[in-house]
């Protein structure tokens, strides 16, 4: 069974930093794209950053220059380094991964449980 487990959220003052991690587990799998989304209260879930299996990255305009997405393919883990945090970055952050199962050669999307990031002013 494939699982995504996130860690690293918390409370930080504006201008501070946090690092989120998301580890995928399962057998006979290959991790494709990995993304971070966030959802603030009363708002739709939005894409924050994405990284392909080859390492190409993409960011939302609101986080460019402040957030960095990276991955360790050997550990099936994706990271989100968040610097210069602002109160408007407050949200639940979700990891998403496109994972190929070698059992049936189907790629499926999986979500982590979410981790709360709160930035105080």
């Amino acid at each position: 069974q494939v699982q995504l487990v996130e860690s690293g959220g918390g409370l930080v003052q504006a201008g501070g930093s946090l690092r989120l991690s998301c580890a995928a587990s399962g057998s006979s799998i290959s991790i494709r794209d990995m993304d971070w989304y966030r959802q603030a209260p009363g708002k739709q879930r939005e894409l924050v950053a994405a990284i392909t299996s080859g390492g190409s990255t993409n960011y939302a305009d609101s986080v460019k220059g402040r957030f960095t997405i990276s991955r360790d393919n050997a550990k099936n883990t994706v990271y989100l380094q968040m610097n210069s945090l602002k109160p408007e970055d407050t949200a639940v952050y979700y990891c998403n991964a496109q994972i190929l199962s070698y059992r049936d050669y189907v790629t499926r999307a999986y979500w982590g449980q979410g981790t709360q990031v709160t930035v105080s002013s």
Side-chain angles (χ1 to χ4, degrees):
Q1 184 176 357
V2 176
Q3 282 190 318
L4 298 180
V5 179
E6 302 165 10
S7 60
L11 173 64
V12 64
Q13 287 189 331
S17 298
L18 283 174
R19 189 193 195 206
L20 306 183
S21 299
C22 173
S25 62
S27 60
S28 301
I29 60 173
S30 176
I31 315 296
R32 301 303 198 224
D33 295 352
M34 302 185 83
D35 313 313
W36 286 98
Y37 285 75
R38 68 185 180 187
Q39 187 166 19
K43 295 189 176 181
Q44 289 188 331
R45 191 172 296 189
E46 63 174 352
L47 178 64
V48 175
I51 187 166
T52 67
S53 57
S56 297
T57 59
N58 190 34
Y59 297 93
D61 288 342
S62 59
V63 307
K64 280 181 181 177
R66 299 188 298 121
F67 290 11
T68 302
I69 189 171
S70 61
R71 63 190 289 169
D72 184 334
N73 290 331
K75 296 181 178 180
N76 287 340
T77 299
V78 63
Y79 305 97
L80 186 67
Q81 178 66 44
M82 304 184 294
N83 298 329
S84 302
L85 282 161
K86 304 175 181 180
E88 50 263 44
D89 294 318
T90 296
V92 178
Y93 284 70
Y94 296 92
C95 172
N96 172 271
Q98 304 295 318
I99 299 177
L100 169 69
S101 170
Y102 288 117
R103 299 179 188 275
D104 56 11
Y105 291 90
V106 174
T107 299
R108 297 175 176 86
Y110 292 87
W111 290 91
Q113 79 281 5
T115 185
Q116 177 70 46
V117 171
T118 302
V119 184
S120 63
S121 57

